[in-house]
Each structure stands twice: as C-alpha cells, then as structure tokens.
Amino acid sequence: YNNLERLCGTGLLTMKKLTEGEIQSLVRKYLIKNRFRLVSRTLDGQPLHYRVEVTSPPEFKIPDLVAVKANKVLVFEEKIRYSDLFKKEGSDGISDVEKLVFFLKNKQARSEFKKLVTNTGLSVKNPSVVGAFASLKAVNRDVDAIPPDFVFIAIGISSSGFSVELCQDGKLLY
C-alpha cells in the first residue's frame, strides 16, 4: 500500500447512516484531501465516459467518479456493498468490475478516454488510466477479489463512524 498511501493517506470520518451517495461523498472527500482533482466533463460539456464494448453502435458507461493527480487518472465505480461490485446487472449482464477490466484491456477504448481527459482543462500530459473501486469493506462471505492492478478504497464502519481506507493501491508507482 505504500505507494498510494503516500499519495492518499488515511482518514476517519463520522456519519450516522450510509447510502450510496454517502459512499461517493466519503471517497470524494478522501481524494480531495489528498490533492486529487475530480473531473466529470470535458471543456465543451461532454460527460467523461468509457467504452464498455467496441461494437457498432458503441456502448458507453459514465463512471461514478474520475480523479486526477499528476498524470494518473483513476476511473471509479462505487457501490455500497463490496459484493455488488461483482453483481451482473442491466441488459448486458456485466458487472462493474467486468466493465472496467474490459475497458482497461482495450487499447482503443483507453485511447478514446485519454483524449477526453486531456480535454478537461486540467494539465494532464500522457495520462495513465487506472481502474478503481470503492465500497464497504469486504465481509467473510465475499469470495470475489478486485483485480490486483486496480485501486480499492474501502469504507469501514465502527462505533465512532466510518473510516476511509486504501486497501489496494493498483501498483501505482509514485
């Protein structure tokens, strides 16, 4: 964890209840505190999105969050429960983990996304795109694992509130 922990650190936040919106808020606060810039649109107002499949017509997904620091671009999908990241949903029957894995393995899809990121007004030269996930911490019955080249930020619950913890750094070199 050392590479991204130097980049992000850890933090403890307290709240009374948890929703998907609060997961998103906790992760955003955590990233902003650690000097990431959040971006959702290009300068011309086009939402950032990635190609799920290289088909005609193409299928696109708008990520839950895009965070940029230096030339690293983290593309987040977020759920309340860890197991929901692996749940096959929607008409395509593909989980969020599968969508991001496909996207990052596809050179054409990554190239298209990089062009969008460079048109956001942020000074990002030659961006390196990394998949990222956020949810509550995994529980004992969760058997699926986040791929090792991905970032995973977990939300922990305790009597004093919620903690935000980097559990997997995606092998980022900083």
Side-chain angles (χ1 to χ4, degrees):
Y1 311 114
N2 294 340
N3 294 332
L4 200 57
E5 278 184 350
R6 280 198 322 263
L7 187 66
C8 291
T10 60
L12 181 68
L13 301 169
T14 58
M15 301 180 85
K16 292 190 180 180
K17 65 184 226 178
L18 184 68
T19 65
E20 190 164 332
E22 289 167 330
I23 290 270
Q24 293 169 356
S25 178
L26 288 165
V27 172
R28 282 168 175 74
K29 287 176 185 176
Y30 178 83
L31 292 168
I32 289 169
K33 176 183 173 195
N34 291 285
R35 299 181 295 134
F36 277 85
R37 306 232 6 230
L38 307 181
V39 62
S40 62
R41 297 191 173 277
T42 63
L43 289 173
D44 63 1
Q46 182 179 4
L48 291 179
H49 58 271
Y50 60 88
R51 189 185 288 253
V52 175
E53 292 188 47
V54 180
T55 59
S56 185
E59 180 183 341
F60 294 104
K61 168 114 176 54
I62 296 175
D64 292 329
L65 175 65
V66 177
V68 179
K69 185 171 187 178
N71 73 328
K72 302 298 182 196
V73 180
L74 303 181
V75 179
F76 274 89
E77 293 300 337
E78 302 167 318
K79 297 286 188 199
I80 295 173
R81 287 185 298 280
Y82 178 86
S83 61
D84 288 348
L85 293 167
F86 301 90
K87 195 176 284 183
K88 297 177 186 290
E89 298 179 320
S91 59
D92 57 11
I94 300 173
S95 72
D96 282 350
V97 170
E98 291 170 318
K99 288 175 184 176
L100 269 180
V101 167
F102 173 84
F103 159 58
L104 292 172
K105 285 184 176 179
N106 185 284
K107 187 176 181 177
Q108 179 183 345
R110 275 193 334 272
S111 177
E112 291 170 358
F113 187 78
K114 286 179 182 183
K115 285 180 187 172
L116 287 174
V117 169
T118 58
N119 189 25
T120 61
L122 297 177
S123 179
V124 183
K125 294 184 174 118
N126 193 25
S128 175
V129 181
V130 178
F133 300 98
S135 72
L136 288 172
K137 286 184 177 181
V139 295
N140 289 340
R141 66 181 174 272
D142 289 326
V143 295
D144 294 306
I146 301 291
D149 293 341
F150 286 67
V151 170
F152 177 58
I153 294 177
I155 309 301
I157 300 175
S158 70
S159 59
S160 60
F162 296 105
S163 63
V164 180
E165 177 185 347
L166 176 69
C167 292
Q168 190 168 299
D169 68 8
K171 299 180 183 176
L172 295 179
L173 302 174
Y174 274 88

